[in-house]
Amino acid sequence: MAQSTVSYLWRDRKAADGYRAGVSLHSHTNQSKETLDFLANFGNQYPIMRPIISGMERRSKDNHSVAVNYASSYWTPPMTPKLAFDLESKQIEDLNVASMVSISDHDNIKAPMLLRTVPSARQIPVSVEWSAPYGGEQDFHLGIHNLPSARASEWMATLEEYTKNPSDERLGEILAALNDEPNVLVIFNHPLWDLFLIGREKHKFLVNEFLLKYGNFMHALELNGLRNWEENRDVRRLAEKWNMLLISGGDRHGVEANANINLTNATSFTEFVHEIRKEKRSDVLFMPQYANPWKHRILQSTLDAVRHYPDFPVGSQRWDERVYHPDAKGNVRPLCELWPDGNAPPVMRYGIALVLLMGTAPVSKSLRFAWSESRQLRLALGEQEG
């Protein structure tokens, strides 16, 4: 029988007492390629933005002979693997427990492989967030943690091959093989996020269909640190329906540490995997930042993505060093190399300045008050009020 507990540090400052370690799962570094498809969807979803986006697309084509290609473009989070590892480790160690960090960038294992050359991070598991096509209209994101080091590259080739040529039969074979790896943890990340905007009910139907087919190979459903209260409550109900464990996953892309972690008495990540898979026990702790209004947190994450970080390594300092797009010959390059004079067009500079203005103290404070979710905090993830 699956046993999941959920606690909140702002309610109980001693929630970590009695545990040996905390585990940070699902965070991203500058090795993660994040899609820009959402910009096209943003224009479709909010008609008022469509003329602005269309104008930018037209100017790019007319002035620079480069057609905007959302599918081939991407952005990368600002933090290097070492900065991200240190950030997550410190938050956990501030609770007076040992730290374990599993970084899972999109569809590559570069960050953990790089970190394994650093003495303080040598024990980091080899993990990835795999975008697995399903249902013909979307991908499901699966957190695959603690791949066997000697065969990690081989596993990545297998996942990449499926992504190019998806089929239900092959997906079942791959998930069964991952399940046969005794030290690998497979998590269904943010299962109820309709990332591809196919419609909430259709998405939920596909999730349940997926779990019916492959749920035996999933070791837990993720309570996502960047998704809202309502969605995470629905994930909790989904876990109850399928008798599955709940597990943390911060999904950090910016410079704020994960908004939730797992607490454990394991002394290694492999022991933690066994705690989840064999003992079927998971203790999730939400950190104080999750108590902030969700819209405000999304704004902060957006600000993190566009801010200038002069102390970071070159290539991670400016937002246009972290956004990539094909040039006129189809070669993917940072935007800063595509600007005719090395500077973003005025309309983009003004747009970024407007976003940054929302992060200034007076505006940010007002927005946070307007977006208050005090009732959501009382209800938490399904408990009764009072």
Side-chain angles (χ1 to χ4, degrees):
M1 187 70 177
Q3 296 182 342
S4 306
T5 67
V6 180
S7 55
Y8 312 91
L9 195 60
W10 61 88
R11 287 183 173 180
D12 181 7
R13 299 301 301 179
K14 297 182 178 181
D17 289 2
Y19 291 91
R20 290 179 178 174
V23 185
S24 167
L25 297 163
H26 190 181
S27 64
H28 297 274
T29 75
N30 67 351
Q31 301 300 307
S32 193
K33 295 181 180 181
E34 307 288 337
T35 178
L36 287 174
D37 281 347
F38 73 91
L39 288 176
N41 292 330
F42 190 69
N44 294 330
Q45 194 173 11
Y46 300 98
I48 193 172
M49 294 298 298
R50 188 64 236 171
I52 298 174
I53 294 175
S54 295
M56 293 170 62
E57 294 170 351
R58 189 169 53 252
R59 281 191 292 274
S60 176
K61 180 68 174 177
D62 294 344
N63 297 342
H64 311 300
S65 300
V66 177
V68 175
N69 185 337
Y70 296 107
S72 299
S73 305
Y74 61 90
W75 66 280
T76 60
M79 300 201 87
T80 63
K82 183 62 165 60
L83 288 171
F85 179 85
D86 289 345
L87 175 73
E88 298 297 333
S89 298
K90 182 179 185 304
Q91 173 177 241
I92 294 170
E93 290 163 6
D94 283 346
L95 299 175
N96 295 315
V97 295
S99 64
M100 303 180 205
V101 178
S102 184
I103 289 171
S104 50
D105 284 328
H106 286 289
D107 302 308
N108 79 78
I109 55 173
K110 294 177 183 177
M113 298 309 288
L114 287 169
L115 283 167
R116 286 192 160 200
T117 66
V118 178
S120 62
R122 190 165 291 150
Q123 300 303 316
I124 191 169
V126 180
S127 306
V128 65
E129 184 175 27
W130 179 35
S131 304
Y134 182 78
E137 298 181 66
Q138 63 177 0
D139 298 346
F140 284 145
H141 290 185
L142 305 180
I144 302 174
H145 300 264
N146 207 32
L147 286 166
S149 301
R151 290 180 285 114
S153 296
E154 179 183 336
W155 263 115
M156 288 308 302
T158 298
L159 301 182
E160 290 165 6
E161 179 189 8
Y162 170 82
T163 301
K164 294 176 182 176
N165 301 288
S167 72
D168 282 7
E169 181 180 3
R170 184 58 180 144
L171 179 58
E173 293 171 352
I174 291 172
L175 293 175
L178 284 167
N179 188 58
D180 287 342
E181 298 276 5
N183 299 327
V184 168
L185 185 64
V186 181
I187 300 170
F188 195 166
N189 288 349
H190 45 69
L192 293 180
W193 182 14
D194 180 15
L195 182 60
F196 288 77
L197 301 176
I198 64 173
R200 181 176 178 179
E201 291 306 314
K202 186 172 184 179
H203 175 78
K204 190 178 293 187
F205 172 83
L206 289 175
V207 167
N208 280 281
E209 181 184 73
F210 179 84
L211 289 174
L212 180 64
K213 294 177 180 177
Y214 312 117
N216 288 340
F217 307 133
M218 299 288 110
H219 304 133
L221 301 180
E222 181 192 65
L223 293 175
N224 187 278
L226 266 186
R227 303 305 298 158
N228 57 50
W229 288 101
E230 180 181 1
E231 184 175 301
N232 276 330
R233 280 197 291 270
D234 286 344
V235 171
R236 188 169 196 168
R237 297 185 188 105
L238 185 70
E240 291 170 355
K241 174 181 176 179
W242 291 97
N243 188 28
M244 295 183 69
L245 277 179
L246 293 166
I247 201 166
S248 66
D251 206 5
R252 178 196 49 73
H253 289 74
V255 299
E256 177 187 80
N258 274 354
N260 58 18
I261 63 171
N262 259 69
L263 296 170
T264 180
N265 283 310
T267 58
S268 68
F269 195 85
T270 296
E271 277 190 26
F272 171 68
V273 172
H274 291 174
E275 188 175 271
I276 299 297
R277 292 188 56 170
K278 304 300 182 184
E279 299 178 27
K280 296 190 181 299
R281 179 164 51 85
S282 175
D283 300 312
V284 178
L285 175 64
F286 278 86
M287 306 303 287
Q289 53 265 39
Y290 194 79
N292 290 323
W294 180 65
K295 291 181 180 178
H296 190 265
R297 295 187 61 237
I298 294 300
L299 171 62
Q300 292 303 313
S301 185
T302 303
L303 290 168
D304 287 350
V306 300
R307 280 194 176 104
H308 182 211
Y309 300 95
D311 296 331
F312 282 17
V314 174
S316 291
Q317 294 177 351
R318 290 168 29 191
W319 72 268
D320 58 358
E321 293 176 333
R322 303 189 296 266
V323 179
Y324 295 77
H325 188 280
D327 61 18
K329 296 181 180 179
N331 300 313
V332 178
R333 298 163 58 193
L335 280 187
C336 62
E337 295 181 5
L338 301 181
W339 308 134
D341 58 356
N343 294 309
V347 65
M348 297 197 74
R349 293 202 300 271
Y350 297 149
I352 295 295
L354 180 61
V355 173
L356 292 172
L357 177 64
M358 297 174 72
T360 58
V363 178
S364 179
K365 185 176 181 180
S366 298
L367 289 173
R368 180 175 176 176
F369 179 78
W371 290 333
S372 176
E373 297 170 335
S374 57
R375 184 172 181 274
Q376 295 277 36
L377 291 180
R378 292 198 302 272
L379 288 172
L381 290 183
E383 298 87 341
Q384 298 298 316
E385 289 188 81

